[in-house]
Amino acid sequence: MILDSLHNAAKYYGLHPNFKKAFDYVNQTDIANLEEGTFEIGEGLKLIVIVGQGNTKEEAVKGFECHDKNIDIQISIKGPETFAWKPREKCVNPNGDYSDERDVRFFHDAPDTFFQMQEKQFAILFPEDVHTAMIGEGELKKIVIKVKI
């Protein structure tokens, strides 16, 4: 997992061929005014705009998840937003089977840590990172860019 500000995004372009394309899209778009929904923004790149009320930690960890085929770049637009995290190798209590269609696997495990992301900060979550988000108070807005592996 990587946590940083958008100002430093270029440091991570070399980690995946589509990271530069993803962050170029963010830098060239008025992300604060994006409408909620799912959009293809390039080959192997899908943008999801999420607006919703923040959840409690207890409610959010019911969606403790990871992905096999995609890396998430999650960017806070309106926050702050709290995340839960745990390394996948430490998760031992699956919550159902892997969904190939949705590229998601859920776990009942308790997170190792919580961290807060401020506006214009991002987290890069790899398949090894079990995570959940949208923890906070009031309305939260974020984008998730799915980067196909």
Side-chain angles (χ1 to χ4, degrees):
M1 181 193 68
I2 295 169
L3 177 64
D4 208 335
S5 70
L6 286 175
H7 177 76
N8 294 322
K11 293 180 180 183
Y12 307 102
Y13 290 176
L15 297 178
H16 189 284
N18 276 338
F19 280 7
K20 182 179 184 323
K21 292 175 190 173
F23 284 112
D24 282 349
Y25 177 88
V26 169
N27 291 329
Q28 297 166 6
T29 304
D30 181 8
I31 60 173
N33 290 310
L34 288 171
E35 295 294 321
E36 199 169 7
T38 302
F39 312 92
E40 297 294 328
I41 60 169
E43 186 175 336
L45 293 170
K46 181 171 33 172
L47 173 79
I48 305 167
V49 181
I50 301 168
V51 179
Q53 291 298 308
N55 294 306
T56 65
K57 289 178 179 179
E58 295 76 21
E59 188 63 31
V61 296
K62 293 177 183 176
F64 208 34
E65 67 180 26
C66 63
H67 314 288
D68 289 354
K69 299 178 187 175
N70 290 281
I71 299 166
D72 279 1
I73 300 174
Q74 299 203 20
I75 302 169
S76 179
I77 297 172
K78 181 180 179 186
E81 178 184 11
T82 299
F83 283 68
W85 176 87
K86 185 172 191 158
R88 189 176 193 165
E89 71 267 9
K90 288 181 64 182
C91 290
V92 295
N93 297 308
N95 181 3
D97 295 327
Y98 171 74
S99 169
D100 188 57
E101 180 183 323
R102 294 181 54 217
D103 184 36
V104 68
R105 178 181 317 272
F106 293 102
F107 290 92
H108 284 296
D109 295 76
D112 275 1
T113 193
F114 291 87
F115 64 91
Q116 193 173 73
M117 199 161 68
Q118 304 296 323
E119 295 174 11
K120 297 187 179 179
Q121 292 181 333
F122 68 90
I124 300 175
L125 299 152
F126 296 91
E128 297 81 13
D129 298 310
V130 180
H131 60 279
T132 193
M134 294 297 286
I135 302 168
E137 296 181 8
E139 185 178 85
L140 303 176
K141 183 174 184 179
K142 69 188 298 169
I143 61 174
V144 178
I145 300 174
K146 297 285 190 180
V147 181
K148 188 157 183 63
I149 298 174

